[in-house]
Amino acid sequence: MHSFLGYSWAEIASILAVISVLFSGIYWLIRHGAKVLNNAINIGTYPLRQQSKELINAIKQLSGNFKEQHEDIKRLEYKVEEQDKTILLHDEKIKRLEERR
C-alpha cells in the first residue's frame, strides 16, 4: 500500500478534511465576529452621524445667511457713501451761502 510520511492516503485525506473544517470554522467565527462588531459600531455611532448631518445642514444654512448679510452690508456701505457725498455737497452749499452773507 502507498503511504506518505507513514500515513496512508485515506488518513492524509482525513487529516486535510479536519484541518479544512477547522480553518473554515475559524474563518466563519472571525467573519461573524466582525459583522457583530461592525453592527455594534454602526448602532453606537448612529446618533453621532445624525448630529453631524444636522450640523452640516446648519452650517450650510448659516453660510447662506452670511452671504446674504455680506451682500446687505455692501448695499448699506454703498448707501452710506452716497449719503456722505450728499452731506458733503450740502456742507459746501452751506459754506458758500454763509460766505455770500
Coordinates of all heavy atoms in Angstrom, one line a residue:
M1 N 0.8 -1.2 0.0 CA 0.0 0.0 0.0 C 0.9 1.2 0.0 O 1.9 1.3 0.6 CB -0.9 0.0 1.2 CG -1.8 1.1 1.3 SD -2.9 0.7 2.7 CE -4.4 1.0 2.0
H2 N 0.4 2.3 -0.7 CA 1.2 3.5 -0.8 C 1.0 4.4 0.5 O -0.1 4.4 1.0 CB 0.8 4.3 -2.0 CG 1.1 3.6 -3.3 ND1 2.3 3.5 -3.8 CD2 0.3 2.9 -4.2 CE1 2.3 2.9 -5.0 NE2 1.0 2.5 -5.2
S3 N 2.1 5.1 0.9 CA 1.9 5.9 2.1 C 2.8 7.1 1.9 O 3.8 7.1 1.1 CB 2.3 5.1 3.3 OG 3.7 4.8 3.3
F4 N 2.6 8.1 2.7 CA 3.3 9.4 2.7 C 3.6 9.8 4.1 O 2.7 9.9 4.9 CB 2.5 10.5 1.9 CG 3.3 11.8 1.8 CD1 4.4 11.9 1.0 CD2 2.9 12.9 2.6 CE1 5.0 13.1 0.9 CE2 3.6 14.0 2.5 CZ 4.6 14.2 1.6
L5 N 4.9 9.8 4.5 CA 5.3 10.1 5.9 C 4.7 9.1 6.9 O 4.3 9.5 8.0 CB 4.9 11.6 6.3 CG 5.6 12.7 5.5 CD1 5.0 14.0 5.9 CD2 7.1 12.7 5.6
G6 N 4.5 7.9 6.5 CA 4.0 6.9 7.4 C 2.5 6.9 7.5 O 1.9 6.1 8.2
Y7 N 1.8 7.8 6.7 CA 0.3 7.8 6.8 C -0.2 7.3 5.4 O 0.3 7.5 4.4 CB -0.2 9.2 7.0 CG 0.1 9.8 8.3 CD1 1.1 10.8 8.4 CD2 -0.5 9.4 9.5 CE1 1.4 11.3 9.6 CE2 -0.1 9.9 10.7 CZ 0.8 10.9 10.8 OH 1.2 11.4 12.0
S8 N -1.3 6.6 5.5 CA -2.0 6.2 4.2 C -2.7 7.4 3.6 O -2.9 8.4 4.3 CB -2.9 5.0 4.5 OG -4.1 5.5 5.2
W9 N -3.0 7.2 2.3 CA -3.7 8.3 1.6 C -5.0 8.6 2.3 O -5.5 9.8 2.3 CB -3.8 8.0 0.2 CG -2.5 8.1 -0.5 CD1 -1.8 7.0 -1.1 CD2 -1.7 9.2 -0.8 NE1 -0.6 7.4 -1.6 CE2 -0.5 8.8 -1.4 CE3 -1.8 10.6 -0.5 CZ2 0.5 9.6 -1.8 CZ3 -0.7 11.4 -0.9 CH2 0.4 10.9 -1.5
A10 N -5.7 7.7 2.8 CA -7.0 7.9 3.4 C -6.8 8.7 4.7 O -7.6 9.6 5.0 CB -7.7 6.6 3.7
E11 N -5.8 8.4 5.5 CA -5.5 9.1 6.7 C -5.1 10.6 6.4 O -5.5 11.5 7.1 CB -4.4 8.4 7.5 CG -4.8 7.1 8.1 CD -3.7 6.4 8.7 OE1 -2.5 6.6 8.3 OE2 -3.9 5.6 9.7
I12 N -4.3 10.7 5.3 CA -3.9 12.1 4.9 C -5.1 12.9 4.5 O -5.3 14.1 4.9 CB -2.8 12.1 3.8 CG1 -1.5 11.5 4.4 CG2 -2.6 13.4 3.2 CD1 -0.5 11.2 3.3
A13 N -6.0 12.3 3.7 CA -7.3 13.0 3.3 C -8.1 13.3 4.5 O -8.7 14.4 4.6 CB -8.0 12.1 2.3
S14 N -8.2 12.4 5.5 CA -9.0 12.7 6.7 C -8.4 13.9 7.5 O -9.1 14.8 8.0 CB -9.0 11.5 7.6 OG -9.7 10.4 7.0
I15 N -7.0 13.9 7.6 CA -6.3 15.0 8.3 C -6.6 16.3 7.6 O -6.9 17.3 8.2 CB -4.8 14.7 8.4 CG1 -4.6 13.5 9.4 CG2 -4.1 15.9 8.9 CD1 -3.2 13.0 9.4
L16 N -6.5 16.3 6.3 CA -6.7 17.5 5.5 C -8.2 18.0 5.6 O -8.5 19.2 5.7 CB -6.4 17.3 4.0 CG -4.9 17.2 3.7 CD1 -4.6 16.9 2.2 CD2 -4.1 18.5 4.1
A17 N -9.1 17.0 5.7 CA -10.5 17.4 5.8 C -10.7 18.0 7.2 O -11.4 19.1 7.3 CB -11.4 16.2 5.7
V18 N -10.1 17.5 8.3 CA -10.3 18.1 9.6 C -9.7 19.4 9.7 O -10.2 20.4 10.2 CB -9.7 17.1 10.7 CG1 -9.5 17.8 12.0 CG2 -10.4 15.8 10.8
I19 N -8.5 19.6 9.0 CA -7.8 20.9 9.0 C -8.6 21.9 8.3 O -8.8 23.1 8.7 CB -6.4 20.8 8.5 CG1 -5.5 20.0 9.4 CG2 -5.8 22.2 8.2 CD1 -4.1 19.7 8.8
S20 N -9.2 21.5 7.1 CA -10.0 22.5 6.4 C -11.3 22.9 7.1 O -11.7 24.0 7.1 CB -10.3 21.9 5.0 OG -11.2 20.8 5.1
V21 N -11.9 21.9 7.8 CA -13.1 22.2 8.6 C -12.7 23.2 9.7 O -13.4 24.1 10.0 CB -13.7 20.9 9.1 CG1 -14.8 21.2 10.2 CG2 -14.4 20.1 8.0
L22 N -11.6 23.0 10.4 CA -11.2 23.8 11.5 C -10.9 25.3 10.9 O -11.3 26.2 11.5 CB -9.9 23.3 12.1 CG -10.1 22.1 13.1 CD1 -8.7 21.6 13.6 CD2 -11.0 22.5 14.2
F23 N -10.2 25.3 9.8 CA -9.9 26.7 9.2 C -11.2 27.4 8.8 O -11.3 28.6 9.0 CB -8.9 26.6 8.1 CG -7.5 26.5 8.5 CD1 -6.7 25.5 8.2 CD2 -6.9 27.5 9.3 CE1 -5.4 25.4 8.6 CE2 -5.6 27.5 9.7 CZ -4.8 26.4 9.4
S24 N -12.1 26.6 8.2 CA -13.4 27.3 7.8 C -14.2 27.7 9.0 O -14.8 28.7 8.9 CB -14.2 26.3 6.8 OG -14.6 25.2 7.6
G25 N -14.1 26.9 10.1 CA -14.8 27.3 11.3 C -14.2 28.6 11.9 O -14.9 29.5 12.3
I26 N -12.9 28.6 11.9 CA -12.2 29.8 12.4 C -12.5 31.0 11.5 O -12.8 32.1 12.0 CB -10.7 29.6 12.5 CG1 -10.4 28.5 13.6 CG2 -10.0 30.9 12.8 CD1 -9.0 28.0 13.7
Y27 N -12.5 30.8 10.2 CA -12.8 31.9 9.3 C -14.3 32.4 9.5 O -14.5 33.6 9.6 CB -12.7 31.4 7.9 CG -13.1 32.4 6.8 CD1 -12.3 33.5 6.5 CD2 -14.2 32.2 6.1 CE1 -12.6 34.4 5.5 CE2 -14.6 33.1 5.1 CZ -13.8 34.2 4.8 OH -14.1 35.1 3.9
W28 N -15.2 31.4 9.7 CA -16.6 31.8 9.9 C -16.7 32.6 11.3 O -17.4 33.6 11.3 CB -17.5 30.6 10.0 CG -18.9 31.0 10.2 CD1 -19.9 31.4 9.3 CD2 -19.6 31.1 11.5 NE1 -21.0 31.7 9.9 CE2 -20.9 31.5 11.3 CE3 -19.2 30.8 12.8 CZ2 -21.8 31.7 12.3 CZ3 -20.1 31.0 13.8 CH2 -21.4 31.4 13.6
L29 N -16.0 32.2 12.3 CA -16.1 32.9 13.6 C -15.5 34.3 13.4 O -16.1 35.3 14.0 CB -15.3 32.1 14.6 CG -15.9 30.9 15.3 CD1 -15.0 30.2 16.2 CD2 -17.2 31.3 16.0
I30 N -14.4 34.4 12.7 CA -13.9 35.8 12.5 C -14.8 36.7 11.7 O -15.1 37.8 12.1 CB -12.5 35.7 11.8 CG1 -11.5 35.0 12.8 CG2 -12.0 37.0 11.4 CD1 -10.2 34.7 12.1
R31 N -15.4 36.1 10.7 CA -16.3 36.9 9.8 C -17.6 37.3 10.7 O -18.0 38.5 10.6 CB -16.8 36.2 8.6 CG -15.7 36.3 7.5 CD -16.3 35.8 6.2 NE -17.4 36.7 5.8 CZ -18.1 36.4 4.7 NH1 -17.9 35.3 4.0 NH2 -19.1 37.2 4.4
H32 N -18.1 36.3 11.4 CA -19.3 36.6 12.2 C -19.0 37.6 13.3 O -19.8 38.5 13.5 CB -19.8 35.3 12.8 CG -21.1 35.5 13.6 ND1 -22.3 35.8 13.0 CD2 -21.3 35.4 15.0 CE1 -23.2 35.9 14.0 NE2 -22.6 35.7 15.1
G33 N -17.8 37.5 13.9 CA -17.5 38.4 14.9 C -17.3 39.8 14.4 O -17.7 40.8 15.0
A34 N -16.7 39.9 13.2 CA -16.5 41.2 12.5 C -17.9 41.9 12.2 O -18.1 43.1 12.4 CB -15.7 41.1 11.3
K35 N -18.8 41.0 11.7 CA -20.2 41.6 11.4 C -20.8 42.1 12.7 O -21.5 43.2 12.7 CB -21.0 40.5 10.8 CG -20.7 40.2 9.3 CD -21.6 39.2 8.7 CE -21.3 38.8 7.3 NZ -22.2 37.8 6.8
V36 N -20.8 41.3 13.7 CA -21.4 41.7 15.0 C -20.7 43.0 15.5 O -21.4 44.0 15.9 CB -21.3 40.6 16.1 CG1 -21.7 41.1 17.4 CG2 -22.1 39.4 15.6
L37 N -19.4 43.1 15.5 CA -18.7 44.3 15.9 C -19.1 45.5 15.0 O -19.3 46.6 15.5 CB -17.2 44.0 15.9 CG -16.3 45.2 16.4 CD1 -16.6 45.5 17.8 CD2 -14.9 44.8 16.2
N38 N -19.1 45.3 13.7 CA -19.5 46.3 12.8 C -20.9 46.8 13.1 O -21.2 48.1 13.1 CB -19.3 45.9 11.3 CG -19.4 47.0 10.4 OD1 -19.1 48.1 10.7 ND2 -19.8 46.7 9.1
N39 N -21.8 45.9 13.3 CA -23.2 46.3 13.6 C -23.3 47.1 14.9 O -24.0 48.1 15.0 CB -24.1 45.1 13.7 CG -24.4 44.6 12.3 OD1 -24.3 45.3 11.3 ND2 -24.8 43.3 12.3
A40 N -22.5 46.7 15.9 CA -22.5 47.4 17.2 C -21.9 48.8 17.0 O -22.4 49.8 17.6 CB -21.7 46.6 18.2
I41 N -20.9 48.9 16.2 CA -20.3 50.2 16.0 C -21.3 51.1 15.2 O -21.4 52.3 15.6 CB -19.0 50.1 15.2 CG1 -17.9 49.5 16.1 CG2 -18.5 51.4 14.7 CD1 -16.6 49.1 15.4
N42 N -21.9 50.6 14.2 CA -22.9 51.4 13.5 C -24.1 51.8 14.4 O -24.5 53.0 14.3 CB -23.5 50.6 12.3 CG -22.5 50.5 11.1 OD1 -21.7 51.4 11.0 ND2 -22.7 49.5 10.3
I43 N -24.5 50.9 15.2 CA -25.6 51.3 16.1 C -25.1 52.4 17.1 O -25.9 53.3 17.4 CB -26.2 50.1 16.8 CG1 -26.9 49.2 15.8 CG2 -27.1 50.5 18.0 CD1 -27.3 47.8 16.3
G44 N -23.9 52.2 17.6 CA -23.4 53.1 18.6 C -23.1 54.5 18.0 O -23.2 55.5 18.7
T45 N -22.7 54.6 16.8 CA -22.4 55.8 16.1 C -23.5 56.5 15.4 O -23.4 57.6 14.8 CB -21.2 55.7 15.2 OG1 -21.5 54.7 14.2 CG2 -19.9 55.2 15.9
Y46 N -24.7 55.8 15.4 CA -25.8 56.4 14.6 C -26.2 57.8 15.1 O -26.4 58.7 14.3 CB -27.0 55.5 14.7 CG -28.2 56.0 14.0 CD1 -28.3 55.9 12.6 CD2 -29.3 56.6 14.6 CE1 -29.4 56.4 11.9 CE2 -30.4 57.0 14.0 CZ -30.4 57.0 12.6 OH -31.5 57.5 11.9
P47 N -26.3 58.0 16.4 CA -26.6 59.4 16.9 C -25.6 60.4 16.5 O -25.9 61.5 16.1 CB -26.7 59.3 18.4 CG -26.9 57.8 18.7 CD -26.3 57.1 17.6
L48 N -24.3 60.0 16.5 CA -23.3 60.9 16.1 C -23.4 61.3 14.7 O -23.2 62.4 14.3 CB -21.9 60.3 16.4 CG -20.7 61.1 16.1 CD1 -20.6 62.4 16.9 CD2 -19.4 60.3 16.3
R49 N -23.7 60.3 13.8 CA -23.8 60.5 12.4 C -25.0 61.5 12.1 O -24.9 62.4 11.3 CB -24.0 59.2 11.6 CG -22.7 58.5 11.5 CD -22.8 57.2 10.7 NE -23.6 56.2 11.5 CZ -24.4 55.3 11.0 NH1 -24.6 55.3 9.7 NH2 -25.0 54.5 11.8
Q50 N -26.1 61.3 12.9 CA -27.3 62.1 12.7 C -26.9 63.6 13.1 O -27.3 64.5 12.4 CB -28.5 61.6 13.5 CG -29.0 60.3 12.9 CD -29.5 60.5 11.5 OE1 -28.9 60.0 10.6 NE2 -30.6 61.2 11.3
Q51 N -26.2 63.7 14.2 CA -25.9 65.0 14.7 C -24.9 65.7 13.7 O -25.0 66.9 13.5 CB -25.2 65.0 16.1 CG -26.2 64.6 17.2 CD -25.5 64.5 18.5 OE1 -24.3 64.5 18.6 NE2 -26.3 64.4 19.6
S52 N -24.0 65.0 13.1 CA -23.1 65.6 12.2 C -23.8 66.0 10.9 O -23.5 67.1 10.3 CB -21.9 64.6 11.8 OG -22.4 63.5 11.2
K53 N -24.8 65.2 10.5 CA -25.6 65.6 9.3 C -26.4 66.9 9.6 O -26.5 67.8 8.8 CB -26.6 64.5 8.9 CG -26.0 63.4 8.2 CD -27.0 62.3 7.9 CE -26.4 61.1 7.3 NZ -27.4 60.0 7.0
E54 N -27.0 67.0 10.8 CA -27.7 68.2 11.2 C -26.8 69.4 11.3 O -27.1 70.5 10.9 CB -28.4 68.0 12.6 CG -29.6 67.0 12.5 CD -30.1 66.6 13.9 OE1 -29.7 67.2 14.9 OE2 -31.0 65.8 13.9
L55 N -25.6 69.2 11.8 CA -24.6 70.2 11.9 C -24.2 70.7 10.6 O -24.1 71.9 10.3 CB -23.4 69.8 12.7 CG -22.3 70.8 13.0 CD1 -22.8 72.0 13.8 CD2 -21.1 70.1 13.7
I56 N -23.9 69.8 9.7 CA -23.6 70.2 8.3 C -24.7 71.0 7.6 O -24.4 72.0 7.0 CB -23.2 68.9 7.5 CG1 -21.9 68.4 7.9 CG2 -23.2 69.3 6.0 CD1 -21.6 67.0 7.4
N57 N -25.9 70.6 7.8 CA -27.0 71.4 7.3 C -27.1 72.7 7.9 O -27.4 73.7 7.2 CB -28.4 70.6 7.5 CG -28.5 69.4 6.6 OD1 -27.8 69.3 5.5 ND2 -29.3 68.4 7.0
A58 N -26.9 72.8 9.2 CA -26.9 74.1 9.9 C -25.8 75.0 9.4 O -26.0 76.2 9.1 CB -26.8 73.9 11.4
I59 N -24.7 74.5 9.2 CA -23.5 75.3 8.6 C -23.8 75.8 7.2 O -23.5 76.9 6.9 CB -22.2 74.4 8.7 CG1 -21.8 74.2 10.1 CG2 -21.1 75.1 7.9 CD1 -20.6 73.3 10.3
K60 N -24.4 74.9 6.4 CA -24.8 75.3 5.1 C -25.8 76.5 5.1 O -25.7 77.4 4.3 CB -25.4 74.1 4.3 CG -24.4 73.1 3.8 CD -25.0 72.0 3.1 CE -24.0 71.0 2.7 NZ -24.6 69.8 2.0
Q61 N -26.8 76.4 6.0 CA -27.8 77.5 6.1 C -27.1 78.7 6.6 O -27.4 79.8 6.1 CB -28.9 77.0 7.1 CG -29.8 76.0 6.5 CD -30.9 75.6 7.5 OE1 -30.8 75.9 8.7 NE2 -31.8 74.8 7.1
L62 N -26.2 78.6 7.6 CA -25.5 79.8 8.1 C -24.6 80.4 7.0 O -24.6 81.7 6.9 CB -24.7 79.4 9.3 CG -25.4 79.2 10.6 CD1 -24.5 78.8 11.7 CD2 -26.2 80.5 11.0
S63 N -24.0 79.6 6.2 CA -23.1 80.2 5.2 C -23.9 80.9 4.2 O -23.5 82.0 3.7 CB -22.3 79.1 4.5 OG -23.1 78.2 3.8
G64 N -25.2 80.4 3.9 CA -26.1 81.1 3.0 C -26.5 82.5 3.7 O -26.5 83.5 3.0
N65 N -26.8 82.4 5.0 CA -27.1 83.7 5.7 C -26.0 84.6 5.7 O -26.2 85.9 5.6 CB -27.6 83.3 7.1 CG -28.9 82.6 7.2 OD1 -29.7 82.7 6.2 ND2 -29.2 82.0 8.3
F66 N -24.7 84.1 5.9 CA -23.6 85.0 5.9 C -23.4 85.7 4.5 O -23.1 86.9 4.5 CB -22.3 84.3 6.3 CG -22.2 83.9 7.7 CD1 -21.7 82.7 8.1 CD2 -22.6 84.8 8.7 CE1 -21.6 82.4 9.4 CE2 -22.5 84.5 10.0 CZ -22.0 83.3 10.4
K67 N -23.7 85.0 3.5 CA -23.6 85.6 2.1 C -24.6 86.7 2.0 O -24.3 87.7 1.4 CB -23.7 84.5 1.1 CG -22.6 83.6 0.9 CD -22.8 82.5 -0.1 CE -21.6 81.5 -0.1 NZ -21.9 80.4 -1.0
E68 N -25.8 86.4 2.4 CA -26.9 87.4 2.3 C -26.5 88.6 3.2 O -26.7 89.8 2.7 CB -28.2 86.8 2.8 CG -28.8 85.8 1.8 CD -30.0 85.2 2.4 OE1 -30.5 85.6 3.5 OE2 -30.5 84.2 1.8
Q69 N -26.0 88.4 4.4 CA -25.6 89.5 5.2 C -24.5 90.3 4.6 O -24.5 91.5 4.7 CB -25.3 89.0 6.6 CG -26.4 88.5 7.4 CD -26.0 87.9 8.8 OE1 -24.8 87.8 9.1 NE2 -27.0 87.5 9.6
H70 N -23.5 89.6 4.0 CA -22.4 90.3 3.4 C -22.9 91.2 2.2 O -22.5 92.3 2.1 CB -21.4 89.3 2.9 CG -20.2 89.9 2.3 ND1 -19.3 90.5 3.1 CD2 -19.7 89.9 1.1 CE1 -18.3 90.9 2.4 NE2 -18.5 90.6 1.2
E71 N -23.9 90.7 1.5 CA -24.4 91.5 0.4 C -25.2 92.7 1.0 O -25.1 93.8 0.4 CB -25.4 90.6 -0.5 CG -24.6 89.6 -1.3 CD -25.5 88.7 -2.1 OE1 -26.8 88.8 -1.9 OE2 -25.0 87.8 -2.7
D72 N -25.9 92.5 2.0 CA -26.7 93.6 2.7 C -25.7 94.6 3.2 O -25.9 95.8 3.1 CB -27.5 93.0 3.9 CG -28.7 92.2 3.4 OD1 -29.1 92.3 2.2 OD2 -29.3 91.5 4.2
I73 N -24.6 94.2 3.8 CA -23.6 95.1 4.3 C -23.0 95.9 3.1 O -22.8 97.2 3.2 CB -22.5 94.4 5.1 CG1 -23.1 93.9 6.4 CG2 -21.3 95.3 5.3 CD1 -22.1 93.0 7.2
K74 N -22.7 95.3 2.0 CA -22.2 96.0 0.8 C -23.2 97.1 0.4 O -22.8 98.2 0.1 CB -21.9 95.0 -0.3 CG -20.6 94.3 -0.2 CD -20.4 93.5 -1.4 CE -19.1 92.7 -1.3 NZ -18.8 91.9 -2.5
R75 N -24.5 96.7 0.3 CA -25.5 97.7 -0.1 C -25.6 98.8 0.9 O -25.7 100.0 0.5 CB -26.9 97.0 -0.2 CG -27.1 96.3 -1.5 CD -28.5 95.8 -1.6 NE -28.4 94.3 -1.6 CZ -29.1 93.5 -0.8 NH1 -30.0 94.0 -0.1 NH2 -28.9 92.2 -0.8
L76 N -25.5 98.5 2.2 CA -25.5 99.6 3.2 C -24.3 100.5 3.1 O -24.4 101.7 3.2 CB -25.6 99.0 4.6 CG -27.0 98.4 5.0 CD1 -26.8 97.7 6.4 CD2 -28.0 99.5 5.1
E77 N -23.1 99.9 2.9 CA -21.9 100.7 2.7 C -22.1 101.6 1.5 O -21.7 102.8 1.6 CB -20.7 99.8 2.5 CG -20.3 99.2 3.8 CD -19.1 98.2 3.6 OE1 -18.8 97.9 2.4 OE2 -18.5 97.7 4.6
Y78 N -22.7 101.1 0.4 CA -22.9 102.0 -0.8 C -23.8 103.1 -0.4 O -23.6 104.3 -0.8 CB -23.4 101.1 -1.9 CG -23.8 101.9 -3.1 CD1 -22.8 102.4 -4.0 CD2 -25.1 102.3 -3.4 CE1 -23.1 103.1 -5.1 CE2 -25.4 103.0 -4.5 CZ -24.4 103.5 -5.4 OH -24.7 104.2 -6.5
K79 N -24.9 102.8 0.3 CA -25.9 103.9 0.7 C -25.2 104.9 1.6 O -25.4 106.1 1.5 CB -27.1 103.3 1.4 CG -28.0 102.6 0.4 CD -29.2 102.0 1.2 CE -30.2 101.3 0.2 NZ -31.3 100.7 0.9
V80 N -24.4 104.4 2.5 CA -23.7 105.4 3.4 C -22.7 106.3 2.7 O -22.7 107.5 2.9 CB -22.9 104.6 4.5 CG1 -21.9 105.5 5.3 CG2 -23.9 103.9 5.5
E81 N -22.0 105.7 1.7 CA -21.1 106.5 0.9 C -21.9 107.6 0.1 O -21.5 108.7 0.0 CB -20.4 105.6 -0.1 CG -19.3 104.8 0.6 CD -18.6 103.9 -0.4 OE1 -18.8 104.0 -1.6 OE2 -17.8 103.0 0.0
E82 N -23.1 107.2 -0.4 CA -23.9 108.1 -1.1 C -24.4 109.2 -0.2 O -24.4 110.4 -0.6 CB -25.1 107.4 -1.8 CG -24.7 106.5 -2.9 CD -24.1 107.3 -4.1 OE1 -24.7 108.3 -4.5 OE2 -23.1 106.8 -4.6
Q83 N -24.8 108.9 1.0 CA -25.2 109.8 2.0 C -24.1 110.8 2.4 O -24.3 112.0 2.5 CB -25.8 109.1 3.2 CG -27.1 108.4 3.0 CD -28.2 109.4 2.7 OE1 -28.3 110.5 3.2 NE2 -29.1 109.0 1.8
D84 N -22.9 110.2 2.5 CA -21.7 111.1 2.8 C -21.5 112.1 1.7 O -21.2 113.3 2.0 CB -20.5 110.2 3.0 CG -20.4 109.5 4.4 OD1 -21.2 109.9 5.3 OD2 -19.6 108.5 4.5
K85 N -21.6 111.6 0.5 CA -21.4 112.6 -0.6 C -22.4 113.7 -0.6 O -22.1 114.8 -0.8 CB -21.5 111.8 -1.9 CG -20.3 110.9 -2.2 CD -20.4 110.1 -3.5 CE -19.3 109.1 -3.7 NZ -19.5 108.3 -4.9
T86 N -23.7 113.3 -0.3 CA -24.7 114.3 -0.2 C -24.5 115.2 0.9 O -24.7 116.5 0.7 CB -26.1 113.5 0.0 OG1 -26.3 112.5 -1.0 CG2 -27.3 114.5 -0.1
I87 N -24.1 114.7 2.0 CA -23.8 115.6 3.2 C -22.7 116.6 2.8 O -22.7 117.8 3.2 CB -23.5 114.8 4.4 CG1 -24.7 114.1 4.9 CG2 -22.9 115.7 5.5 CD1 -24.5 113.1 6.0
L88 N -21.6 116.1 2.2 CA -20.5 117.0 1.8 C -21.0 118.0 0.8 O -20.6 119.2 0.9 CB -19.4 116.1 1.2 CG -18.6 115.3 2.2 CD1 -17.6 114.4 1.4 CD2 -17.8 116.1 3.2
L89 N -21.8 117.7 -0.1 CA -22.4 118.7 -1.0 C -23.2 119.7 -0.3 O -23.1 120.9 -0.6 CB -23.2 118.0 -2.1 CG -22.5 117.2 -3.2 CD1 -23.4 116.5 -4.1 CD2 -21.6 118.2 -4.0
H90 N -24.0 119.3 0.7 CA -24.8 120.2 1.4 C -23.9 121.1 2.3 O -24.1 122.3 2.4 CB -25.8 119.5 2.3 CG -26.9 118.9 1.6 ND1 -27.9 119.7 0.9 CD2 -27.4 117.6 1.5 CE1 -28.8 118.9 0.4 NE2 -28.5 117.6 0.7
D91 N -22.8 120.6 2.8 CA -21.9 121.4 3.6 C -21.2 122.5 2.7 O -21.1 123.6 3.1 CB -20.8 120.5 4.2 CG -21.3 119.8 5.5 OD1 -22.3 120.1 6.0 OD2 -20.6 118.8 5.9
E92 N -20.9 122.1 1.5 CA -20.3 123.1 0.6 C -21.3 124.2 0.3 O -20.9 125.4 0.2 CB -19.8 122.4 -0.6 CG -18.5 121.5 -0.4 CD -18.1 120.8 -1.7 OE1 -18.5 121.3 -2.8 OE2 -17.4 119.8 -1.6
K93 N -22.5 123.8 0.0 CA -23.5 124.8 -0.3 C -23.7 125.7 0.9 O -23.9 126.9 0.7 CB -24.8 124.1 -0.6 CG -24.9 123.4 -2.0 CD -26.2 122.8 -2.3 CE -26.2 122.1 -3.6 NZ -27.5 121.4 -3.9
I94 N -23.8 125.2 2.1 CA -24.0 126.0 3.3 C -22.8 127.0 3.4 O -23.0 128.2 3.7 CB -24.1 125.1 4.5 CG1 -25.4 124.4 4.5 CG2 -24.0 125.9 5.8 CD1 -25.6 123.3 5.6
K95 N -21.5 126.5 3.2 CA -20.4 127.4 3.3 C -20.5 128.5 2.3 O -20.2 129.7 2.6 CB -19.1 126.6 3.1 CG -18.7 125.8 4.3 CD -17.4 125.0 4.0 CE -17.1 124.1 5.2 NZ -15.9 123.2 4.9
R96 N -20.8 128.2 1.1 CA -21.0 129.2 0.0 C -22.0 130.2 0.4 O -21.8 131.4 0.2 CB -21.3 128.6 -1.3 CG -20.1 128.0 -2.0 CD -20.5 127.5 -3.4 NE -19.9 126.2 -3.6 CZ -20.5 125.2 -4.3 NH1 -21.7 125.4 -4.8 NH2 -19.9 124.0 -4.4
L97 N -23.1 129.7 0.9 CA -24.2 130.7 1.3 C -23.7 131.6 2.5 O -24.1 132.8 2.5 CB -25.4 129.9 1.7 CG -26.2 129.3 0.6 CD1 -27.4 128.4 1.1 CD2 -26.8 130.4 -0.3
E98 N -23.0 131.0 3.4 CA -22.5 131.8 4.5 C -21.5 132.8 4.1 O -21.4 133.9 4.6 CB -21.9 130.9 5.6 CG -22.9 130.1 6.4 CD -22.3 129.2 7.4 OE1 -21.1 129.0 7.4 OE2 -23.1 128.6 8.2
E99 N -20.7 132.5 3.0 CA -19.7 133.4 2.5 C -20.3 134.6 1.8 O -19.8 135.7 1.8 CB -18.7 132.6 1.6 CG -17.8 131.7 2.3 CD -16.9 130.9 1.3 OE1 -17.1 131.0 0.1 OE2 -16.1 130.1 1.8
R100 N -21.5 134.3 1.2 CA -22.2 135.4 0.5 C -22.8 136.4 1.4 O -22.9 137.6 1.1 CB -23.3 134.8 -0.4 CG -22.9 134.1 -1.6 CD -24.0 133.6 -2.4 NE -23.6 132.8 -3.5 CZ -24.4 132.2 -4.3 NH1 -25.7 132.3 -4.1 NH2 -23.9 131.5 -5.3
R101 N -23.0 136.1 2.6 CA -23.6 137.0 3.6 C -22.7 138.0 4.0 O -22.0 138.7 4.1 CB -24.1 136.3 4.8 CG -25.4 135.5 4.6 CD -25.8 135.0 5.9 NE -27.0 134.2 5.7 CZ -27.7 133.7 6.7 NH1 -27.3 133.9 7.9 NH2 -28.8 133.1 6.5

